[in-house]
């Protein structure tokens, strides 16, 4: 039996998602663009999921566009909005702790003539809305700021920042990567003052290969994939009906329990931190008021990969830093003031509402054993 504590990398699809995908593959196998009954049935299934997901963020279904995942949603948001609005205002503001799908995309836009301003946390390791507003100006077309950081669980002040930016610079388009916040915190388009929101299916027990971009009515985003004009021309390519249905089913299941699960995982986090305090050499890198789903720690003197594989040998799966960067250090921990040996020994434990205290006990026991046995 394995103990899966890497839910920020991906989650296990829930039964409802698996059932919905199987049902779509057997019943709704038509192409949603086809004009006959089989096509219509597939289109109705896609639109059902669209409504469920749009409802969950307080949006009209017509504002939700399906993609292959949040990497594509983030690319579409940055490339598509900068293409639409960046002819004259050629500056983009992002946080310095974004996921690679934002950071690398912004870096690519930088090569293509845009200027990118990266806002870092202050010395206290915290982000301030005023710092983003001060980084903005008439020359900025787009601001992108993640809601929950995937490596530490830090919650960025998105709603305050976007509200202030919209007041001072109404022309600036606001985008937030809500991948690690969605179905964990309330993600509502209007409360966040967000024009664009990226979501991913596989972080919410919905399965891989599906995501969505919310685009506020009236906001222009030029497509980055052209072809058969699916998704109203914003994202060409035949829709992945099974994965879209799975995403919708997962959201339908999770949406009513956002608060309940947050409280449950908060209690698990408190339990874990209490148990970890009994092990010498463990320090906590996540902030106290971060998302409880992500707990980043450092195991003094033990390289992340070595500890990760030691834990793996006991059937326990965690991550070193960000799993999406295949073990490469992303620099995000450094932004939060975690550098050198402490960053080299960082481990990310990410839970789901299915995680149990018994699993955390086993993890803590194995970690303590690793601290004793591993040499460097
Ligand atoms: N944004 C954040 C914050 C993430 O954590 C991830 C995945 O780890 C992504 C974007 C990319 O999502 P996807 O795997 O759906 O492309």
């Amino acid at each position: 039996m394995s103990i899966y504590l890497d839910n920020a990398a991906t989650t296990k699809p829930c039964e409802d998602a698996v059932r919905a995908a199987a049902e779509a593959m057997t019943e709704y196998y038509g192409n949603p663009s086809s004009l006959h009954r089989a096509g219509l049935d597939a289109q109705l299934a896609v639109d059902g999921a669209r409504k469920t997901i749009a409802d969950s963020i307080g949006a009209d279904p017509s504002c939700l566009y399906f993609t292959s995942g949040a990497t594509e949603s983030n690319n579409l948001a940055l490339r598509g909005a900068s293409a639409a609005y960046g002819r004259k205002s050629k500056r983009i503001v992002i946080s310095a702790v974004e996921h690679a799908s934002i950071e690398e995309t912004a870096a690519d836009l930088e090569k293509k003539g845009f200027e990118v301003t990266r806002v870092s946390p202050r010395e206290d390791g915290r982000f301030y809305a005023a710092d983003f507003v001060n980084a903005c100006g008439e020359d900025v077309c787009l601001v992108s700021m993640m809601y929950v950081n995937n490596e530490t669980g830090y919650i960025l002040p998105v709603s305050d920042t976007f509200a202030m930016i919209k007041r001072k610079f109404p022309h600036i388009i606001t985008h937030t990567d809500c991948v690690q916040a969605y179905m964990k915190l309330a993600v509502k388009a209007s409360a966040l003052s967000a024009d664009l929101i990226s979501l991913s299916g596989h972080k919410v027990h919905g399965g891989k290969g599906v995501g969505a971009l919310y685009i506020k009515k009236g906001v222009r985003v030029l497509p980055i994939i052209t072809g058969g004009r699916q998704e109203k021309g914003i994202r060409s390519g035949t829709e992945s009906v099974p994965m879209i249905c799975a995403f919708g089913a997962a959201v339908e299941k999770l949406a009513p329990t956002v608060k309940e699960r947050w409280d449950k995982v908060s209690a698990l986090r408190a339990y874990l931190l209490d148990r970890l305090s009994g092990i010498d050499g463990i320090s906590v890198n996540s902030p106290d008021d971060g998302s409880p789903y992500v707990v980043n720690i450092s195991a003094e003197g033990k390289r992340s990969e070595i500890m990760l594989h030691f834990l793996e040998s006991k059937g326990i799966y965690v991550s070193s830093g960000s799993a999406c960067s295949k073990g490469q250090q992303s620099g995000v921990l450094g932004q939060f003031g975690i550098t050198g040996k402490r960053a080299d020994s960082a481990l990310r434990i990410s839970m789901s509402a299915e995680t149990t205290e018994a699993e955390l006990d086993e993890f803590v026991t194995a970690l303590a054993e690793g601290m004793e046995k591993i040499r460097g």
Side-chain angles (χ1 to χ4, degrees):
M1 273 294 284
S2 60
I3 295 177
Y4 187 76
L5 296 172
D6 201 11
N7 288 278
T10 197
T11 56
K12 183 179 172 187
C14 63
E15 277 174 24
D16 297 48
V18 173
R19 206 177 309 118
E23 189 185 42
M25 288 181 120
T26 47
E27 310 280 327
Y28 314 125
Y29 54 82
N31 185 325
S33 297
S34 293
L35 297 178
H36 46 65
R37 184 75 224 182
L40 180 65
D41 285 346
Q43 185 65 57
L44 290 175
V46 166
D47 286 340
R50 195 188 311 278
K51 179 165 173 16
T52 302
I53 297 165
D55 281 352
S56 74
I57 60 167
D60 192 88
S62 64
C63 297
L64 201 85
Y65 299 83
F66 287 113
T67 64
S68 65
T71 296
E72 187 189 325
S73 301
N74 284 343
N75 268 266
L76 179 56
L78 260 62
R79 295 181 194 279
S82 63
Y85 295 96
R87 208 166 288 165
K88 285 197 200 116
S89 5
K90 295 200 89 68
R91 197 154 64 82
I92 296 169
V93 174
I94 65 172
S95 90
V97 299
E98 294 295 320
H99 184 263
S101 52
I102 292 289
E103 171 50 41
E104 293 287 317
T105 305
D108 188 50
L109 289 169
E110 228 166 4
K111 285 189 204 130
K112 296 185 165 117
F114 282 87
E115 193 188 328
V116 177
T117 303
R118 293 170 177 81
V119 177
S120 292
R122 289 190 195 169
E123 289 241 317
D124 60 2
R126 306 193 68 80
F127 279 99
Y128 290 85
D131 294 345
F132 284 88
V133 181
N134 292 337
C136 286
E138 292 305 323
D139 61 333
V140 169
C141 60
L142 177 70
V143 174
S144 181
M145 181 182 185
M146 71 194 332
Y147 197 176
V148 171
N149 181 260
N150 50 302
E151 295 190 37
T152 64
Y154 186 93
I155 301 171
L156 283 83
V158 175
S159 61
D160 283 356
T161 304
F162 285 2
M164 283 162 78
I165 289 174
K166 284 285 176 191
R167 231 173 287 132
K168 203 163 171 196
F169 305 105
H171 73 281
I172 294 180
I173 301 299
T174 51
H175 168 251
T176 175
D177 172 348
C178 286
V179 167
Q180 299 290 350
Y182 186 50
M183 291 295 118
K184 297 181 169 75
L185 276 171
V187 170
K188 301 287 175 193
S190 61
L192 290 172
S193 302
D195 294 319
L196 307 168
I197 297 176
S198 297
L199 307 173
S200 174
H202 74 103
K203 311 285 184 173
V204 297
H205 305 276
K208 291 159 198 66
V210 63
L213 182 68
Y214 159 81
I215 305 177
K216 189 179 176 179
K217 220 167 238 151
V219 169
R220 283 181 305 124
V221 171
L222 301 188
I224 55 172
I225 298 175
T226 47
R229 300 196 59 78
Q230 288 87 349
E231 299 294 284
K232 294 186 281 188
I234 295 290
R235 201 282 186 175
S236 285
T238 302
E239 297 88 343
S240 175
V241 182
M243 296 321 297
I244 289 170
C245 290
F247 188 11
V251 169
E252 194 164 332
K253 174 93 190 301
L254 291 184
T257 58
V258 169
K259 170 84 174 61
E260 195 181 309
R261 283 180 294 104
W262 179 273
D263 291 345
K264 183 172 177 201
V265 178
S266 295
L268 286 169
R269 177 187 194 270
Y271 181 79
L272 173 63
L273 293 181
D274 183 53
R275 295 280 336 255
L276 287 174
S277 65
I279 308 178
D280 279 346
I282 300 295
S283 50
V284 179
N285 300 322
S286 292
D288 293 343
D289 56 356
S291 163
Y293 287 84
V294 180
V295 178
N296 194 304
I297 61 171
S298 287
E300 196 183 326
K302 316 294 173 196
R303 289 246 327 278
S304 308
E305 283 73 17
I306 297 178
M307 182 60 92
L308 183 150
H309 290 304
F310 178 81
L311 294 169
E312 183 195 13
S313 74
K314 309 262 172 202
I316 300 168
Y317 303 137
V318 301
S319 158
S320 61
S322 162
C324 301
S325 51
K326 287 233 187 283
Q328 277 183 351
Q329 264 189 32
S330 65
V332 166
L333 289 183
Q335 285 289 326
F336 286 113
I338 298 140
T339 54
K341 290 213 159 75
R342 188 157 168 194
D344 291 341
S345 64
L347 293 172
R348 181 183 69 181
I349 299 108
S350 48
M351 297 182 276
S352 81
E354 309 295 315
T355 302
T356 63
E357 287 187 357
E359 288 178 326
L360 296 177
D361 285 341
E362 280 200 46
F363 162 70
V364 170
T365 304
L367 184 70
E369 192 184 326
M371 291 302 280
E372 299 240 316
K373 288 196 174 153
I374 298 169
R375 297 272 151 259

